[in-house]
């Protein structure tokens, strides 16, 4: 039997925690995914290094930089 207080059923007071718990789960899931995404973003930097090497080699092939400059840049960016 549900007790009535002021025209409202007291049994409904147990319903409101469900959206709160769902919201906390969503926030937790988003936090975990953003944290993992931060670690995965380090792979983007590795791709940038590959692009930099490609550009360096293209500049050398076009004769825009000398072998000595290419070697110095290679020591900085393997």
């Amino acid at each position: 039997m549900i007790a009535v207080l002021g025209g409202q059923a007291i049994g409904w007071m147990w319903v409101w925690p469900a959206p709160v718990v769902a919201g906390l789960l969503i926030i937790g899931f988003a936090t975990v995914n953003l944290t993992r995404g931060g670690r995965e973003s380090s792979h983007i930097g590795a791709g940038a290094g590959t692009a930099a090497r490609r550009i360096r080699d293209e500049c050398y092939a076009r004769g825009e930089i000398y072998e000595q400059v290419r070697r110095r840049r290679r020591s900085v960016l393997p």
Side-chain angles (χ1 to χ4, degrees):
M1 181 171 191
I2 298 176
V4 177
L5 180 63
Q8 295 178 346
I10 295 176
W12 283 102
M13 72 179 188
W14 297 106
V15 175
W16 71 267
V20 172
V21 170
L24 290 173
L25 288 173
I26 290 170
I27 290 171
F29 181 74
T31 302
V32 168
N33 282 336
L34 288 174
T35 303
R36 287 183 182 172
R39 281 189 236 138
E40 291 173 1
S41 66
S42 64
H43 298 295
I44 294 171
T50 303
R53 284 190 291 274
R54 181 181 49 80
I55 292 169
R56 179 195 63 211
D57 292 339
E58 288 174 0
C59 288
Y60 175 71
R62 288 191 299 260
E64 296 174 358
I65 59 174
Y66 295 109
E67 179 65 25
Q68 183 181 10
V69 175
R70 182 175 178 233
R71 286 182 185 167
R72 186 174 51 220
R73 290 182 182 175
R74 185 185 298 166
S75 68
V76 174
L77 182 65

